[in-house]
Amino acid sequence: MSINKSEPWLQTELLAHIQLLLYSFHHWTGNDLIPITDRQSPLEIANSLFNANFVVVSHGTQADPILNYGNQKALDLWKMDWQTLTSTPSRYTAEPIERSEREQLLAQAKSQGYISNYRGIRIASNGDRFYIDQAIIWNVVDKNNKLWGQAATFSNWEAIA
């Protein structure tokens, strides 16, 4: 598969990751992250998620997890390009003062499978701060329940002056 370097979310390994995001979101919540049909190819699904009108972001299972996916809304909100986002430890999406609360939430989601209605403060790469509201955080798992990381989605955010 030939992938345009300007569309890195269409790389083969990310197409598989996106399928895990969708599967595990439905597994935990009973809802679909995005509407999909049997006729859609993995590339079409990846483009739909990347261009969705809400944020989707995920990280891996490293000791200090690195972000491994963010759709266009996430890139815009955190003011990063793809390369920067996917080399950033996910803890840097929150201010230092907010990081302990964030870690507690991630641990809670890890033990329960997911949490919903989270509200917190996040920080963009340029220092802009914003509230996220009604976020859902879930474990990214495969059909054998192997943990691949965690993800979050939300469509409500507000800049903090």
Coordinates of all heavy atoms in Angstrom, one line a residue, residues 42-116:
P42 N -11.1 0.0 5.2 CA -10.3 0.5 6.4 C -9.8 1.9 6.1 O -9.7 2.7 7.0 CB -9.2 -0.5 6.5 CG -9.8 -1.8 6.0 CD -10.7 -1.4 4.9
L43 N -9.4 2.2 4.8 CA -9.0 3.6 4.5 C -10.1 4.6 4.7 O -9.8 5.7 5.2 CB -8.4 3.6 3.1 CG -7.1 2.9 2.8 CD1 -6.8 2.9 1.3 CD2 -6.0 3.6 3.6
E44 N -11.3 4.3 4.2 CA -12.4 5.2 4.4 C -12.7 5.4 5.8 O -13.0 6.5 6.3 CB -13.6 4.6 3.6 CG -13.5 4.7 2.1 CD -14.6 3.9 1.4 OE1 -15.0 2.8 1.9 OE2 -15.0 4.4 0.3
I45 N -12.7 4.3 6.6 CA -13.0 4.4 8.0 C -11.9 5.3 8.7 O -12.2 6.2 9.5 CB -13.0 3.0 8.7 CG1 -14.3 2.3 8.2 CG2 -13.0 3.1 10.2 CD1 -14.3 0.8 8.5
A46 N -10.6 5.1 8.4 CA -9.5 5.9 8.9 C -9.7 7.4 8.6 O -9.5 8.2 9.5 CB -8.2 5.4 8.4
N47 N -10.1 7.7 7.4 CA -10.3 9.1 7.0 C -11.5 9.7 7.7 O -11.5 10.8 8.2 CB -10.5 9.2 5.5 CG -9.2 9.4 4.7 OD1 -8.4 10.1 5.2 ND2 -9.1 8.7 3.6
S48 N -12.6 8.9 7.9 CA -13.7 9.4 8.7 C -13.4 9.7 10.1 O -13.8 10.8 10.6 CB -14.9 8.3 8.7 OG -15.4 8.2 7.4
L49 N -12.6 8.8 10.7 CA -12.2 9.1 12.1 C -11.3 10.3 12.2 O -11.4 11.1 13.1 CB -11.6 7.9 12.8 CG -11.3 8.0 14.3 CD1 -12.6 8.2 15.0 CD2 -10.6 6.8 14.8
F50 N -10.3 10.3 11.3 CA -9.3 11.4 11.3 C -10.0 12.8 11.1 O -9.6 13.8 11.7 CB -8.3 11.2 10.2 CG -7.2 12.3 10.4 CD1 -6.2 12.1 11.3 CD2 -7.1 13.4 9.5 CE1 -5.2 13.1 11.5 CE2 -6.1 14.3 9.7 CZ -5.2 14.2 10.6
N51 N -11.1 12.8 10.3 CA -11.7 14.1 10.0 C -13.0 14.3 10.8 O -13.8 15.2 10.5 CB -12.0 14.2 8.5 CG -10.7 14.3 7.7 OD1 -10.0 15.2 7.9 ND2 -10.5 13.3 6.9
A52 N -13.3 13.5 11.8 CA -14.5 13.6 12.7 C -14.5 15.0 13.3 O -13.5 15.6 13.5 CB -14.5 12.5 13.7
N53 N -15.7 15.4 13.7 CA -15.8 16.7 14.4 C -15.7 16.7 15.9 O -16.2 17.5 16.6 CB -17.2 17.4 13.9 CG -18.4 16.6 14.4 OD1 -18.2 15.5 15.0 ND2 -19.5 17.1 14.2
F54 N -15.0 15.7 16.4 CA -14.7 15.5 17.8 C -13.3 15.0 17.9 O -12.7 14.5 17.0 CB -15.7 14.6 18.5 CG -15.9 13.2 17.8 CD1 -15.0 12.2 18.1 CD2 -16.8 13.0 16.8 CE1 -15.1 11.0 17.5 CE2 -16.9 11.8 16.2 CZ -16.1 10.8 16.5
V55 N -12.8 15.1 19.1 CA -11.4 14.7 19.4 C -11.3 13.2 19.7 O -12.1 12.7 20.4 CB -10.8 15.5 20.6 CG1 -9.5 14.9 21.0 CG2 -10.7 17.0 20.2
V56 N -10.3 12.5 19.1 CA -9.9 11.2 19.5 C -8.4 11.2 19.6 O -7.7 11.6 18.7 CB -10.4 10.1 18.4 CG1 -9.9 8.7 18.8 CG2 -11.9 10.1 18.2
V57 N -7.9 10.7 20.7 CA -6.5 10.6 20.9 C -6.2 9.3 21.7 O -7.1 8.8 22.4 CB -6.0 11.9 21.7 CG1 -6.6 11.9 23.1 CG2 -4.5 12.0 21.7
S58 N -5.0 8.7 21.5 CA -4.7 7.5 22.2 C -3.2 7.4 22.4 O -2.4 8.1 21.8 CB -5.1 6.2 21.4 OG -4.4 6.1 20.2
H59 N -2.9 6.6 23.4 CA -1.5 6.3 23.7 C -1.3 4.8 23.9 O -2.2 4.0 24.1 CB -1.0 7.1 25.0 CG -1.6 6.7 26.3 ND1 -2.1 7.6 27.1 CD2 -1.8 5.5 26.9 CE1 -2.6 7.0 28.2 NE2 -2.4 5.7 28.1
G60 N 0.0 4.4 23.9 CA 0.4 3.0 24.0 C 0.5 2.6 25.5 O 0.0 3.2 26.4
T61 N 1.2 1.5 25.7 CA 1.3 0.9 27.0 C 2.7 1.0 27.7 O 3.0 0.4 28.6 CB 1.0 -0.7 26.9 OG1 1.9 -1.3 26.0 CG2 -0.4 -0.9 26.5
Q62 N 3.5 1.9 27.1 CA 4.8 2.1 27.7 C 4.7 2.6 29.1 O 3.7 3.1 29.6 CB 5.6 3.2 26.9 CG 5.7 2.9 25.4 CD 4.6 3.5 24.6 OE1 3.5 3.8 25.0 NE2 4.9 3.8 23.3
A63 N 5.8 2.5 29.9 CA 5.8 3.0 31.3 C 5.5 4.5 31.3 O 4.7 4.9 32.2 CB 7.2 2.8 31.9
D64 N 5.9 5.3 30.4 CA 5.6 6.7 30.2 C 4.9 6.7 28.8 O 5.6 7.0 27.8 CB 6.8 7.6 30.3 CG 6.5 9.1 30.3 OD1 5.3 9.4 30.4 OD2 7.4 9.9 30.2
P65 N 3.6 6.4 28.7 CA 2.9 6.2 27.4 C 3.1 7.4 26.5 O 3.0 8.6 26.8 CB 1.5 6.0 27.8 CG 1.5 5.6 29.2 CD 2.6 6.3 29.8
I66 N 3.4 7.0 25.2 CA 3.6 8.0 24.1 C 2.3 8.0 23.3 O 1.7 6.9 23.0 CB 4.7 7.5 23.2 CG1 6.0 7.4 24.0 CG2 4.9 8.5 22.0 CD1 6.6 8.6 24.6
L67 N 1.9 9.2 22.9 CA 0.7 9.3 22.1 C 1.0 8.6 20.7 O 2.0 8.7 20.2 CB 0.3 10.8 21.8 CG -0.1 11.5 23.0 CD1 -0.1 13.0 22.7 CD2 -1.4 11.1 23.5
N68 N 0.0 7.8 20.3 CA 0.2 7.0 19.0 C -0.9 7.3 18.0 O -0.9 6.8 16.9 CB 0.3 5.5 19.3 CG -0.9 5.0 20.1 OD1 -1.9 5.6 20.2 ND2 -0.7 3.8 20.6
Y69 N -1.9 8.1 18.4 CA -2.9 8.5 17.4 C -3.6 9.8 17.9 O -3.8 10.0 19.1 CB -4.0 7.5 17.3 CG -5.1 7.9 16.3 CD1 -4.9 7.7 14.9 CD2 -6.2 8.5 16.7 CE1 -5.8 8.2 14.0 CE2 -7.2 9.0 15.8 CZ -7.0 8.8 14.4 OH -7.9 9.2 13.5
G70 N -3.9 10.7 17.0 CA -4.7 11.9 17.3 C -5.3 12.3 16.0 O -4.7 12.4 15.0
N71 N -6.6 12.5 16.0 CA -7.3 12.9 14.8 C -7.0 14.4 14.6 O -6.4 15.1 15.4 CB -8.7 12.5 14.7 CG -9.6 13.2 15.7 OD1 -9.1 14.0 16.5 ND2 -10.9 13.0 15.7
Q72 N -7.6 15.0 13.5 CA -7.3 16.4 13.1 C -7.7 17.3 14.2 O -7.1 18.3 14.5 CB -8.0 16.8 11.8 CG -7.6 18.1 11.3 CD -6.1 18.3 11.0 OE1 -5.5 17.5 10.2 NE2 -5.4 19.2 11.7
K73 N -8.9 17.1 14.9 CA -9.4 17.9 16.0 C -8.4 17.9 17.1 O -8.1 18.9 17.7 CB -10.7 17.5 16.4 CG -11.9 17.8 15.5 CD -12.1 19.3 15.5 CE -13.4 19.5 14.6 NZ -13.5 20.9 14.2
A74 N -7.8 16.7 17.4 CA -6.8 16.6 18.5 C -5.5 17.4 18.1 O -5.0 18.2 18.9 CB -6.4 15.2 18.7
L75 N -5.1 17.3 16.8 CA -3.9 18.0 16.4 C -4.1 19.5 16.5 O -3.3 20.3 16.9 CB -3.6 17.6 14.9 CG -3.1 16.2 14.7 CD1 -3.0 15.9 13.2 CD2 -1.8 15.9 15.4
D76 N -5.3 19.9 16.1 CA -5.6 21.4 16.1 C -5.7 21.9 17.6 O -5.2 22.9 17.9 CB -7.0 21.7 15.5 CG -7.0 21.4 14.0 OD1 -5.9 21.3 13.4 OD2 -8.1 21.3 13.4
L77 N -6.4 21.1 18.4 CA -6.5 21.5 19.8 C -5.2 21.6 20.6 O -5.0 22.5 21.3 CB -7.5 20.6 20.5 CG -8.1 21.0 21.9 CD1 -8.8 22.3 21.8 CD2 -9.0 19.9 22.4
W78 N -4.4 20.6 20.4 CA -3.1 20.6 21.1 C -2.0 21.3 20.3 O -0.9 21.4 20.7 CB -2.6 19.2 21.4 CG -3.2 18.7 22.7 CD1 -2.8 19.1 24.0 CD2 -4.3 17.9 23.0 NE1 -3.6 18.5 25.0 CE2 -4.5 17.8 24.4 CE3 -5.2 17.1 22.1 CZ2 -5.5 17.0 24.9 CZ3 -6.2 16.4 22.7 CH2 -6.3 16.3 24.1
K79 N -2.4 21.9 19.1 CA -1.5 22.7 18.3 C -0.2 21.9 18.0 O 0.9 22.4 18.3 CB -1.2 24.0 18.9 CG -2.5 24.8 19.0 CD -2.3 26.2 19.7 CE -3.5 27.1 19.7 NZ -4.8 26.5 19.8
M80 N -0.3 20.7 17.5 CA 0.8 19.9 17.1 C 0.6 19.3 15.7 O -0.5 19.2 15.3 CB 0.9 18.7 18.0 CG 1.3 19.0 19.5 SD 1.4 17.5 20.4 CE 1.5 18.1 22.1
D81 N 1.7 19.0 15.0 CA 1.6 18.3 13.8 C 1.7 16.8 14.2 O 1.9 16.4 15.3 CB 2.7 18.6 12.8 CG 4.1 18.4 13.3 OD1 4.3 17.5 14.2 OD2 5.0 19.1 12.8
W82 N 1.4 15.9 13.2 CA 1.4 14.5 13.4 C 2.7 14.0 14.1 O 2.6 13.2 15.1 CB 1.1 13.7 12.1 CG 1.0 12.3 12.3 CD1 2.0 11.4 12.2 CD2 -0.1 11.5 12.8 NE1 1.6 10.1 12.5 CE2 0.3 10.2 12.8 CE3 -1.4 11.8 13.1 CZ2 -0.6 9.2 13.2 CZ3 -2.3 10.8 13.5 CH2 -1.9 9.5 13.5
Q83 N 3.8 14.3 13.5 CA 5.1 13.9 14.0 C 5.3 14.3 15.5 O 5.8 13.4 16.3 CB 6.2 14.4 13.1 CG 7.6 13.7 13.4 CD 7.5 12.2 13.1 OE1 6.9 11.8 12.1 NE2 8.2 11.5 13.9
T84 N 5.0 15.5 15.8 CA 5.2 15.9 17.2 C 4.2 15.2 18.1 O 4.6 14.7 19.2 CB 4.9 17.5 17.3 OG1 5.8 18.1 16.4 CG2 5.1 18.0 18.7
L85 N 3.0 15.1 17.7 CA 2.0 14.4 18.6 C 2.4 13.0 18.9 O 2.4 12.5 20.0 CB 0.6 14.4 18.0 CG -0.5 13.8 18.8 CD1 -1.3 14.8 19.5 CD2 -1.3 12.8 18.0
T86 N 2.8 12.3 17.9 CA 3.1 10.8 18.0 C 4.5 10.6 18.6 O 4.9 9.4 18.6 CB 2.9 10.1 16.7 OG1 3.7 10.7 15.7 CG2 1.5 10.1 16.3
S87 N 5.2 11.6 19.1 CA 6.4 11.4 19.8 C 6.3 12.1 21.2 O 7.3 12.2 21.9 CB 7.6 12.0 19.0 OG 7.4 13.4 18.8
T88 N 5.1 12.5 21.6 CA 4.9 13.2 22.8 C 4.4 12.2 23.9 O 3.4 11.5 23.7 CB 3.9 14.3 22.6 OG1 4.4 15.3 21.7 CG2 3.6 15.0 23.9
P89 N 5.0 12.2 25.1 CA 4.4 11.4 26.2 C 3.0 12.0 26.5 O 2.9 13.3 26.6 CB 5.4 11.7 27.4 CG 6.7 12.0 26.7 CD 6.3 12.8 25.5
S90 N 2.0 11.2 26.7 CA 0.7 11.7 26.8 C 0.5 12.5 28.1 O -0.4 13.4 28.1 CB -0.3 10.5 26.8 OG -0.2 9.7 27.9
R91 N 1.4 12.3 29.1 CA 1.2 13.2 30.3 C 1.4 14.6 30.0 O 0.9 15.5 30.7 CB 2.2 12.7 31.4 CG 3.6 12.8 31.0 CD 4.5 12.2 32.1 NE 5.8 11.9 31.6 CZ 6.8 12.8 31.7 NH1 6.7 13.9 32.2 NH2 8.0 12.4 31.1
Y92 N 2.1 15.0 28.9 CA 2.3 16.4 28.5 C 1.1 17.1 28.0 O 1.1 18.2 27.7 CB 3.5 16.5 27.6 CG 4.9 16.2 28.2 CD1 5.8 15.6 27.5 CD2 5.1 16.6 29.5 CE1 7.1 15.3 28.1 CE2 6.4 16.4 30.1 CZ 7.3 15.7 29.4 OH 8.5 15.4 29.9
T93 N 0.0 16.3 27.8 CA -1.2 17.0 27.4 C -1.9 17.6 28.6 O -2.9 18.4 28.4 CB -2.2 16.0 26.7 OG1 -2.6 15.0 27.7 CG2 -1.6 15.3 25.5
A94 N -1.4 17.4 29.8 CA -2.0 18.0 31.0 C -0.9 18.8 31.6 O 0.3 18.5 31.5 CB -2.5 17.0 31.9
E95 N -1.3 19.9 32.3 CA -0.3 20.7 33.1 C 0.3 19.9 34.2 O -0.4 18.9 34.7 CB -0.9 21.9 33.7 CG -1.3 23.0 32.6 CD -1.9 24.2 33.3 OE1 -2.9 24.1 33.9 OE2 -1.3 25.3 33.1
P96 N 1.5 20.1 34.7 CA 2.0 19.4 35.8 C 1.1 19.3 37.0 O 1.0 18.2 37.6 CB 3.3 20.1 36.2 CG 3.7 20.8 34.9 CD 2.4 21.1 34.2
I97 N 0.4 20.3 37.4 CA -0.5 20.3 38.5 C -1.7 19.4 38.3 O -2.3 18.9 39.2 CB -0.9 21.8 38.9 CG1 -1.5 21.8 40.3 CG2 -1.9 22.3 37.9 CD1 -1.6 23.2 40.9
E98 N -2.0 19.2 37.0 CA -3.2 18.3 36.7 C -2.8 16.8 36.5 O -3.7 16.0 36.4 CB -3.9 18.8 35.4 CG -4.4 20.2 35.5 CD -5.7 20.3 36.4 OE1 -6.5 19.3 36.4 OE2 -5.9 21.3 37.1
R99 N -1.5 16.6 36.4 CA -1.1 15.2 36.0 C -1.4 14.1 37.0 O -1.7 13.0 36.7 CB 0.4 15.2 35.7 CG 0.7 16.0 34.5 CD 2.2 16.0 34.1 NE 2.3 16.9 33.0 CZ 3.5 17.5 32.7 NH1 4.6 17.2 33.4 NH2 3.6 18.3 31.6
S100 N -1.4 14.4 38.3 CA -1.8 13.4 39.3 C -3.2 13.0 39.2 O -3.6 11.8 39.2 CB -1.4 13.8 40.7 OG -2.2 14.9 41.1
E101 N -4.1 14.0 39.0 CA -5.5 13.7 38.8 C -5.7 12.8 37.5 O -6.5 11.9 37.5 CB -6.4 14.9 38.7 CG -7.8 14.7 38.4 CD -8.6 15.9 38.0 OE1 -8.1 17.0 38.0 OE2 -9.8 15.7 37.7
R102 N -5.0 13.2 36.4 CA -5.0 12.5 35.2 C -4.6 11.1 35.4 O -5.2 10.1 34.9 CB -4.2 13.2 34.1 CG -4.1 12.5 32.8 CD -3.1 13.2 31.9 NE -2.9 12.4 30.7 CZ -2.0 11.4 30.7 NH1 -1.3 11.1 31.8 NH2 -1.9 10.6 29.6
E103 N -3.5 10.8 36.1 CA -3.0 9.5 36.3 C -4.0 8.6 37.1 O -4.2 7.5 36.8 CB -1.7 9.5 37.1 CG -0.5 10.0 36.3 CD -0.3 9.1 35.0 OE1 -0.3 7.9 35.1 OE2 -0.2 9.7 33.9
Q104 N -4.7 9.2 38.1 CA -5.7 8.5 38.8 C -6.9 8.1 37.9 O -7.4 7.0 38.0 CB -6.3 9.4 40.0 CG -5.3 9.6 41.1 CD -5.8 10.6 42.1 OE1 -6.8 11.2 42.0 NE2 -4.9 10.8 43.2
L105 N -7.3 9.0 37.0 CA -8.3 8.7 36.1 C -8.0 7.6 35.1 O -8.8 6.7 34.9 CB -8.7 10.0 35.3 CG -10.1 10.5 35.6 CD1 -10.0 11.5 36.7 CD2 -10.7 10.9 34.4
L106 N -6.7 7.6 34.6 CA -6.3 6.6 33.7 C -6.2 5.2 34.5 O -6.6 4.2 33.9 CB -4.9 6.9 33.1 CG -4.9 8.1 32.2 CD1 -3.4 8.4 31.8 CD2 -5.7 7.9 31.0
A107 N -5.8 5.2 35.7 CA -5.8 4.0 36.5 C -7.2 3.5 36.7 O -7.5 2.3 36.6 CB -5.1 4.2 37.8
Q108 N -8.2 4.4 37.0 CA -9.6 4.0 37.2 C -10.1 3.4 35.9 O -10.8 2.4 35.9 CB -10.4 5.2 37.6 CG -11.9 4.9 37.8 CD -12.7 6.2 38.2 OE1 -12.1 7.3 38.4 NE2 -14.0 6.0 38.3
A109 N -9.8 4.1 34.7 CA -10.3 3.6 33.5 C -9.7 2.2 33.2 O -10.4 1.3 32.7 CB -10.0 4.5 32.3
K110 N -8.4 2.0 33.5 CA -7.7 0.8 33.3 C -8.4 -0.4 34.1 O -8.6 -1.5 33.6 CB -6.3 0.9 33.7 CG -5.4 -0.3 33.2 CD -4.0 -0.1 33.4 CE -3.1 -1.2 32.9 NZ -1.7 -1.0 33.0
S111 N -8.8 -0.1 35.3 CA -9.4 -1.2 36.1 C -10.9 -1.4 35.8 O -11.3 -2.5 35.9 CB -9.3 -0.8 37.6 OG -10.1 0.3 38.0
Q112 N -11.6 -0.4 35.3 CA -13.0 -0.5 35.0 C -13.3 -0.8 33.5 O -14.4 -1.2 33.1 CB -13.8 0.7 35.4 CG -13.8 1.0 36.8 CD -14.5 2.4 37.1 OE1 -14.3 2.9 38.2 NE2 -15.2 3.0 36.2
G113 N -12.3 -0.5 32.6 CA -12.5 -0.6 31.2 C -12.7 0.7 30.5 O -12.2 1.0 29.5
Y114 N -13.5 1.5 31.2 CA -13.7 2.9 30.7 C -14.3 3.8 31.7 O -14.9 3.3 32.7 CB -14.5 2.9 29.4 CG -16.0 2.9 29.6 CD1 -16.8 4.0 29.5 CD2 -16.7 1.7 29.9 CE1 -18.2 4.0 29.7 CE2 -18.1 1.7 30.1 CZ -18.8 2.8 30.0 OH -20.2 2.8 30.2
I115 N -14.2 5.1 31.6 CA -14.9 6.0 32.4 C -15.6 7.1 31.4 O -15.1 7.3 30.3 CB -14.0 6.7 33.4 CG1 -12.9 7.4 32.8 CG2 -13.6 5.7 34.5 CD1 -12.1 8.3 33.7
S116 N -16.6 7.7 31.9 CA -17.3 8.7 31.1 C -17.5 9.9 31.9 O -17.4 9.9 33.1 CB -18.6 8.2 30.5 OG -19.4 7.8 31.5

